[in-house]
Amino acid sequence: MITADIATVKPPHIRADLASAIERSWRRLSGPGTWWSGAQRLRIVAETRNAVHCPLCHERKAALSPNAVAGTHASLGTLPDVVVDVIHRVRTDANRLSEAWIERVLAAGLSDAEYVEIVGIVATATGLDTFSRALGTAPAALPAPRAGAPSRRRPRGARKSIARVPTVSPADMTDEDVNPYPQYGQVHIQQALSLVPEAVIEFFDLDTALYLKQDWIRDFTREYRSLTHAQLELIASRASVINGCYY
Amino acid sequence: MLDGAADSGVPDGAILVQFTEAVLGADDLLLEQVRGRLRASLGDAKLVDAAGAVASFNAVVKVADGTGLTVDDFRRDLADKLRDELKLGFGPG
């Protein structure tokens, strides 16, 4: 929706590191990933945007249990039903996903790595669009897809341990793997998408510009943003409560 | 943090909480008003950083929940310690 802000108010200046991270995000989203092509990844972004308007998702969100409401998602019709369901659930009701639901998704033909890449794309697109909404600017137009084939490389050290999907611990990374941990940190949240290491880089390259780098979060000797640690954590806490985030 | 109206004691906490709630809510007019007040009182740089923090925490939850991630031991230990310090235990007595 176009608000009066978009039409009449000059958008604020975005610091250079964040503007660059946003540009890199769109370039990555439009190009081939590990399991999905650039065109497919942009369809996932478009469906992520569409999910917030889905009547079924609204009805499920309001229900005591999402499983109590049957129906069909209002989708753009460009992706298989199972992919649409993953996108809509992760975008609109992520804190009520269950192990059984993930198993059903995988049994329907999606691989665990394809699933993880979708989660990463939905999260990145959510970050980009939430930032635009917060500033009162229109969501960015989707770029043209870039050609190229997905790399289809699965890390050998992937195993199920800290999540419902396989992850790669820092110790299990090999020289052949793209290793995101030295740059972005290696606590659980950075390991979550590591079945697709490029997805970790894609998400945290943007996330650390939106918020803070991992080693800045608990460095209370200085401030890294115009808001203080306490102010940022207040926002983080309120957003996490609203989203029902246990992490 | 369960009650966004409570006084956090953080400088400018009230407007930052109102902004967070408005961004994650569905009322576009309210968001426009709150954004305008935040910008007028704190300036562009703080508006951008507040927007970034809300966006980050609206995104990272998808990663944690979407993968069914477990909480790190150090986070669990910190939470346990805080609960003890604040005497928030739910055990008998």
Side-chain angles (χ1 to χ4, degrees):
Chain A
M1 175 180 289
I2 296 176
T3 69
D5 261 15
I6 294 171
T8 62
V9 179
K10 186 181 172 190
H13 171 73
I14 299 172
R15 55 186 150 78
D17 68 301
L18 178 50
S20 298
I22 291 169
E23 275 187 35
R24 288 194 299 273
S25 280
W26 283 116
R27 179 164 174 78
R28 287 186 175 118
L29 287 169
S30 65
T34 305
W35 300 98
W36 300 98
S37 70
Q40 289 170 321
R41 287 160 58 83
L42 287 175
R43 281 182 218 137
I44 293 168
V45 173
E47 194 62 59
T48 301
R49 288 178 166 176
N50 181 57
V52 297
H53 307 296
C54 172
L56 175 62
C57 289
H58 283 281
E59 210 178 329
R60 282 182 169 162
K61 185 79 176 169
L64 193 58
S65 163
N67 301 323
V69 182
T72 305
H73 290 293
S75 80
L76 298 173
T78 63
L79 292 163
D81 288 348
V82 65
V83 175
V84 169
D85 191 40
V86 169
I87 294 166
H88 282 230
R89 295 253 195 164
V90 172
R91 177 64 183 89
T92 66
D93 205 9
N95 70 327
R96 297 199 295 179
L97 300 179
S98 66
E99 181 119 38
W101 173 77
I102 291 182
E103 284 172 4
R104 283 199 298 277
V105 164
L106 300 183
L110 205 60
S111 78
D112 52 6
E114 288 169 335
Y115 172 86
V116 166
E117 187 166 328
I118 294 170
V119 171
I121 294 167
V122 171
T124 300
T126 300
L128 289 165
D129 283 356
T130 304
F131 184 66
S132 294
R133 173 174 166 73
L135 292 185
T137 55
L142 295 188
R146 291 188 291 116
S151 62
R152 297 187 172 278
R153 190 180 180 287
R154 184 186 178 94
R156 287 185 192 159
R159 62 189 171 84
K160 237 173 158 180
S161 58
I162 60 166
R164 291 180 181 141
V165 294
T167 55
V168 188
S169 73
D172 289 334
M173 280 281 170
T174 69
D175 290 342
E176 297 167 354
D177 296 321
V178 174
N179 187 346
Y181 298 136
Q183 184 164 1
Y184 296 105
Q186 58 185 45
V187 298
H188 285 193
I189 195 64
Q190 284 105 17
Q191 294 184 44
L193 300 171
S194 59
L195 182 58
V196 182
E198 288 83 357
V200 180
I201 294 168
E202 183 172 290
F203 179 77
F204 282 100
D205 183 47
L206 174 66
D207 187 68
T208 53
L210 288 170
Y211 173 51
L212 291 169
K213 294 179 182 177
Q214 181 65 35
D215 55 356
W216 292 358
I217 295 172
R218 288 177 184 76
D219 177 5
F220 303 110
T221 63
R222 59 167 288 198
E223 299 297 350
Y224 295 89
R225 302 285 185 230
S226 62
L227 295 174
T228 64
H229 275 80
Q231 289 173 317
L232 289 171
E233 292 315 305
L234 181 66
I235 292 169
S237 302
R238 189 67 193 131
S240 296
V241 167
I242 291 170
N243 280 319
C245 180
Y246 69 94
Y247 188 81
Chain B
M1 282 309 92
L2 292 175
D3 179 2
D7 180 11
S8 64
V10 174
D12 301 310
I15 187 71
L16 294 173
V17 167
Q18 287 166 23
F19 180 66
T20 303
E21 292 171 343
V23 172
L24 300 182
D27 187 335
D28 292 344
L29 184 59
L30 175 66
L31 172 57
E32 197 176 310
Q33 292 167 346
V34 174
R35 182 193 306 119
R37 280 194 284 121
L38 192 156
R39 191 176 188 182
S41 60
L42 302 184
D44 280 9
K46 291 184 180 180
L47 169 62
V48 168
D49 285 346
V54 181
S56 166
F57 281 85
N58 196 36
V60 77
V61 64
K62 274 63 176 171
V63 173
D65 288 337
T67 57
L69 193 65
T70 57
V71 177
D72 308 74
D73 289 343
F74 82 92
R75 285 182 196 277
R76 198 185 305 275
D77 292 345
L78 283 171
D80 288 347
K81 188 177 167 193
L82 188 61
R83 268 191 292 272
D84 287 346
E85 284 178 10
L86 297 176
K87 302 189 188 322
L88 294 176
F90 297 104

